[in-house]
Amino acid sequence: RASLQRVLDDFLLPYVSPGGVVAEIGSGGGRIASRVVPLCGTFHCLDISREMLKKAREAISKAGLDKETTVHYTPIDNNLLPEPLADSLDFVYAFDTFPHCDTHTIFSYLKEMKRVLKKDGRALVHTSNILAPRGFARFAQQKGASVQGFCFTS
């Protein structure tokens, strides 16, 4: 989709470099990871679902994207990123993940993102915003927050 490519080009890919160490929180089936993996040296797929990590591994391996880049698939427990990642990442991002999380969970991940970034590392955080042009309309249609819907922040 054109809008996804624009987001990647404008907000994500400028911070990925050859040889860089990158992590995605909420890798899911590898939709975004598969576009980033070929552009860095080491990539960490992080997700609460082992099944989704399996799907990401299959998608990345099937496309042959893990031949030049080291890719790790690590489950996340209790909103904590793996301890060995402390101060090791050049870039960490969560795209299309936090709209499905409550505010406390997002806050936990923000603290974790700071912990795992190198001193000059960068992060990208994508959330849903009730104040966005169509944000309130979408919010009003939902009966409550759910994984299938959005948890709105402002």
Side-chain angles (χ1 to χ4, degrees), residues 105-131:
T105 299
I106 294 170
F107 183 61
S108 294
Y109 281 122
L110 291 174
K111 291 187 292 186
E112 284 295 287
M113 291 169 100
K114 181 179 181 193
R115 182 181 65 78
V116 298
L117 282 169
K118 292 178 180 176
K119 183 179 179 185
D120 59 347
R122 302 274 179 126
L124 170 76
V125 175
H126 166 247
T127 65
S128 51
N129 183 349
I130 198 168
L131 300 176

Side-chain angles (χ1 to χ4, degrees), residues 84-105:
L85 291 182
D87 302 312
S88 71
L89 301 179
D90 297 299
F91 185 55
V92 60
Y93 66 92
F95 182 79
D96 263 0
T97 300
F98 290 170
H100 307 288
C101 298
D102 64 74
T103 305
H104 287 93
T105 299

